[in-house]
Amino acid sequence: MKPIGKNKIIMKIDSHVHFWQYSEKEYPWIGTTMSGIRRDFIPTDAEPIFHRHGIAGCIAVQARQNEAENEFMLSLAKRSSFIKGIVGWVPLKDKSLQSKLEAYAQQPLIRGFRHVIQDEPLLEFMLDPSFIRGLRLLHHHNYCYDLLIKPSHLPVAAALVRLLPAQPIVIDHIAKPDIARGEFTRWAKDIQRLASFDNIYCKVSGMTTEARWKEWSENDFRPYLDTVVESFGLKRLIYGSDWPVCLLSTDYEQQLRMVENYFRSFSKPEQASIFGLNALEFYKIA
């Protein structure tokens, strides 16, 4: 790792990785069409992959909507130093949230939280006053937020962000446009609008599972990558693999190569930002 200015380093970070000990009851979202990931994935599975591709660390992101998930990820991090941060889960609408966040303050590896908004039946879930109160408490306690949504949620997300101009928020998986069916125009318009808020970042992640599984080409992603680069700039884009979910459509090397090939013509400092420094800044990792 080489110094970049004062107290800064080049470090390739995968900002979006999941770990689990699989059971159908605990992970109902892993359906029968996802047979390739209906098994355990733990840090010892990821470590040789990261070593092979020069990944110095990762952010572990929740895959279950309960607080046992936080304890599970913390237990993994105790044995796996390459887990640099954790995005956990808390009941954002719960009146007990304040006391829960005070307790999690004793766990510095927890850098933020996420809720699986894409599965909520109402688009207006994000505008519930209790949800907004929860996000304001996250900001008060210096936590960031991963926003997992689909394109239909983008206009509501923009309304939410207007109310929270200081809360650091990152859009997971470029908001999951249906790349397989060529969903683009409306998504592009709405993502550009959301990117106009300076506190919003975007993860360049999860795209291969929105394309035709195992049948995509790198050209399928170029218009989407062009759009997020133009919309967010190079200081608010963060690389992530979405491993092991990405294995439904490809292997780790292919999804990484696709993103690296796109950014190959960019300068080395720009690549360093997208593949590491932006993640360290967003998740406040020294």
Side-chain angles (χ1 to χ4, degrees):
M1 296 179 289
K2 300 178 182 178
I4 299 184
K6 188 177 180 180
N7 299 325
K8 287 190 176 181
I9 56 175
I10 292 178
M11 179 185 292
K12 189 180 282 188
I13 297 291
D14 187 332
S15 74
H16 206 97
V17 172
H18 302 291
F19 300 109
W20 58 69
Q21 292 177 316
Y22 177 72
S23 78
E24 188 171 354
K25 179 180 179 181
E26 289 289 319
Y27 300 93
W29 61 271
I30 304 178
T32 56
T33 61
M34 302 180 179
S35 58
I37 61 172
R38 289 166 69 92
R39 63 177 180 85
D40 294 356
F41 288 93
I42 56 177
T44 51
D45 297 310
E47 189 169 15
I49 299 171
F50 290 168
H51 179 74
R52 191 179 311 129
H53 298 292
I55 306 295
C58 73
I59 306 298
V61 180
Q62 63 85 218
R64 292 179 296 172
Q65 303 224 110
N66 55 50
E67 290 183 81
E69 180 76 338
N70 304 334
E71 299 306 318
F72 172 65
M73 289 190 290
L74 285 166
S75 71
L76 296 178
K78 288 179 181 179
R79 306 188 298 273
S80 306
S81 61
F82 62 82
I83 298 177
K84 305 299 183 183
I86 290 170
V87 174
W89 183 89
V90 284
L92 284 167
K93 294 185 176 185
D94 200 298
K95 292 181 179 179
S96 67
L97 181 62
Q98 170 75 16
S99 61
K100 291 180 183 295
L101 294 179
E102 289 172 356
Y104 284 124
Q106 307 305 311
Q107 302 290 348
L109 271 178
I110 296 183
R111 309 310 302 155
F113 295 94
R114 183 176 85 154
H115 183 83
V116 184
I117 291 173
Q118 67 175 19
D119 289 344
E120 293 293 338
L122 298 176
L123 288 178
E124 293 77 15
F125 176 89
M126 286 179 281
L127 298 182
D128 187 304
S130 60
F131 182 76
I132 294 169
R133 170 186 170 274
L135 288 183
R136 286 181 170 144
L137 279 175
L138 291 190
H139 178 59
H140 177 75
H141 288 274
N142 205 31
Y143 288 114
C144 52
Y145 187 72
D146 271 55
L147 191 60
L148 179 59
I149 56 175
K150 293 183 177 180
S152 59
H153 295 95
L154 285 167
V156 183
L160 171 70
V161 173
R162 287 190 188 95
L163 302 173
L164 301 164
Q167 170 63 46
I169 295 173
V170 61
I171 306 300
D172 288 347
H173 314 327
I174 70 168
K176 305 186 78 169
D178 190 342
I179 297 171
R181 297 185 179 183
E183 179 182 25
F184 179 77
T185 303
R186 180 63 183 270
W187 166 85
K189 179 180 178 180
D190 289 339
I191 204 79
Q192 288 165 355
R193 183 181 299 114
L194 191 55
S196 68
F197 297 94
D198 292 340
N199 58 315
I200 305 300
Y201 287 61
C202 181
K203 284 189 182 178
V204 180
S205 62
M207 293 182 293
T208 57
T209 48
E210 302 307 318
R212 294 168 297 167
W213 289 3
K214 303 184 186 300
E215 296 180 0
W216 52 266
S217 73
E218 292 191 2
N219 287 335
D220 295 337
F221 306 104
R222 183 163 292 276
Y224 300 91
L225 288 165
D226 287 345
T227 298
V228 295
V229 168
E230 292 167 5
S231 300
F232 290 92
L234 299 175
K235 293 295 186 181
R236 291 188 289 143
L237 292 180
I238 302 174
Y239 164 72
S241 67
D242 198 25
W243 182 92
V245 181
C246 68
L247 301 180
L248 295 169
S249 184
T250 188
D251 60 27
Y252 193 96
E253 180 177 359
Q254 288 179 319
Q255 64 78 30
L256 175 60
R257 186 188 303 128
M258 179 270 290
V259 182
E260 287 182 329
N261 284 346
Y262 177 85
F263 287 105
R264 198 170 302 281
S265 64
F266 289 67
S267 72
K268 293 298 183 183
E270 290 169 338
Q271 292 180 50
S273 292
I274 293 160
F275 287 99
L277 294 179
N278 292 347
L280 295 177
E281 178 181 333
F282 180 79
Y283 288 111
K284 300 180 177 66
I285 297 170

